Amino acid sequence: MDHLACFTPADLAGRTPPDLHSFRWKLLAQGDSWFSNARAKLNAHANLLQELVFRSQTTAVNCAGTGNALSHMVDLESSPEFVRLLAGPDAPAWDGVLLSVGGNDLIAAARTPAVNWNAEPIPLNLRLLRRQTEWGPPSAGVARYFSEPGWSTYSDYLRANVKHLLSLRDQGPSAGKPVFMHCYAVPMPRPAGAEGGDDLGASGPWLFPALKAYGVPSADWAAVSRLMVFHLAQLLKSMAADKEGFPGLFVFDSTAVPLALAAPGSTGISGDWHNEIHLNHSGCFKIARAWSEHIEMVLEGKHLIPVPTGRKGRGSSSQS
């Protein structure tokens, strides 16, 4: 098993560019802080791409860069290198595209306050959390704190942006090639921020102050976090299942990978987490190893092979 060989667009433009043709699989990558090349982030909460391993030699050109790449999906428009390498006139043909997107948008939506700077209420369809006067009945569980109208807005936004990205793919020589996305792990809301500036424009923590501001009882914080991340996972998986609306989209369910949760109230590295919303190296290792198998299975076409159903019952057909 070989680690994914990661390069940057700057490497391609250098004096001695890498020979991509020496690799069996060539991938293009773009994403949020989980893919970031920033040295401070690599030394801290790791990079999911660096932990990917494949049986065949595989490379990726990572456009996430060293800055705050893809804080929001709409930032695709301000990622000219990614767009050029995907759909430009001189774009190479890629075997697939790796994406880490949607998580920062989810956190940003959860951080939307109940009132704006002018003390005017922000409508429910523009935020993910409810004020105490808007909570549902206790019988609803932690869903009583959650804004379904806001989730509908977020879902429409993410679907539109992923469709836009797939349309960009189909405008270039990689038309129809698989696009790989991952779901996110469930963070523990806690006072654990980043060392420096973060992709959301602050050093964190992120969910912790939002849940406090909305008055959500601390005993429910972990369950609210799980609710939001599982909503996102179901949304991404539903898009991948819609082969007509989202052709060639493959989603790996990271929520199914067992991780060591961070301890409630902890302020630093805890479990498989570096801070509140970023995994450390052990967390990235666990998710990346499982995701690698999913990616390579699709690249090899093995996802198209019917899974044996076992012994045939009486009267069953011998045809697949």
Side-chain angles (χ1 to χ4, degrees):
M1 302 287 281
D2 293 319
H3 277 87
L4 179 70
C6 291
F7 300 101
T8 68
D11 293 329
L12 296 185
R15 289 186 176 182
T16 56
D19 180 14
L20 300 185
H21 296 293
S22 64
F23 296 90
R24 181 178 182 188
W25 305 118
K26 297 172 285 296
L27 308 172
L28 182 65
Q30 176 61 299
D32 51 28
S33 54
W34 281 30
F35 277 11
S36 175
N37 283 323
R39 184 170 300 277
K41 290 174 181 172
L42 293 179
N43 292 337
H45 54 69
N47 177 320
L48 194 60
L49 293 179
Q50 289 189 322
E51 300 296 342
L52 294 175
V53 292
F54 298 92
R55 293 178 179 83
S56 301
Q57 285 195 318
T58 306
T59 185
V61 175
N62 183 12
C63 298
T66 59
N68 298 332
L70 285 190
S71 293
H72 304 285
M73 279 290 291
V74 291
D75 289 349
L76 272 175
E77 296 298 336
S78 60
S79 303
E81 289 177 325
F82 173 71
V83 175
R84 176 179 62 81
L85 287 171
L86 180 63
D90 59 342
W94 304 99
D95 296 301
V97 179
L98 301 172
L99 289 178
S100 180
V101 295
N104 281 0
D105 293 287
L106 182 70
I107 299 296
R111 285 160 53 91
T112 303
V115 296
N116 63 16
W117 62 272
N118 203 27
E120 297 172 336
I122 294 177
L124 269 176
N125 68 323
L126 297 181
R127 48 190 167 92
L128 286 186
L129 294 174
R130 292 176 176 269
R131 293 181 294 177
Q132 287 178 275
T133 56
E134 301 168 330
W135 290 354
S139 60
V142 295
R144 66 195 296 239
Y145 313 120
F146 190 66
S147 170
E148 289 293 347
W151 178 253
S152 179
T153 300
Y154 173 89
S155 300
D156 291 344
Y157 160 83
L158 192 60
R159 285 177 176 273
N161 276 274
V162 173
K163 280 193 175 186
H164 173 60
L165 189 144
L166 295 177
S167 72
L168 283 176
R169 172 203 61 187
D170 291 340
Q171 293 171 30
S174 303
K177 294 295 184 178
V179 171
F180 301 100
M181 294 178 67
H182 63 79
C183 302
Y184 288 79
V186 180
M188 174 66 70
R190 60 193 181 104
E195 290 78 4
D198 126 279
D199 290 349
L200 297 175
S203 59
W206 300 266
L207 290 174
F208 174 77
L211 294 172
K212 283 185 66 176
Y214 274 95
V216 176
S218 59
D220 290 333
W221 289 355
V224 171
S225 176
R226 179 181 175 88
L227 174 72
M228 291 192 292
V229 170
F230 272 64
H231 265 63
L232 176 55
Q234 286 302 119
L235 172 61
L236 293 175
K237 290 188 291 184
S238 71
M239 285 191 277
D242 181 0
K243 298 303 182 185
E244 183 175 344
F246 299 87
L249 178 64
F250 295 86
V251 170
F252 172 71
D253 188 0
S254 309
T255 65
V257 178
L259 295 179
L261 290 173
S266 55
T267 59
I269 296 174
S270 181
D272 284 323
W273 297 83
H274 182 78
N275 56 40
E276 189 189 35
I277 63 172
H278 295 111
L279 297 169
N280 57 25
H281 290 278
S282 65
C284 282
F285 174 88
K286 292 174 183 178
I287 288 182
R289 293 305 164 99
W291 193 24
S292 300
E293 294 183 13
H294 173 261
I295 294 168
E296 192 155 35
M297 181 175 291
V298 174
L299 292 175
E300 296 277 6
K302 293 179 180 177
H303 67 296
L304 300 174
I305 301 175
V307 177
T309 57
R311 293 177 59 185
K312 294 182 172 66
R314 182 178 299 177
S316 62
S317 171
S318 61
Q319 297 179 353
S320 59

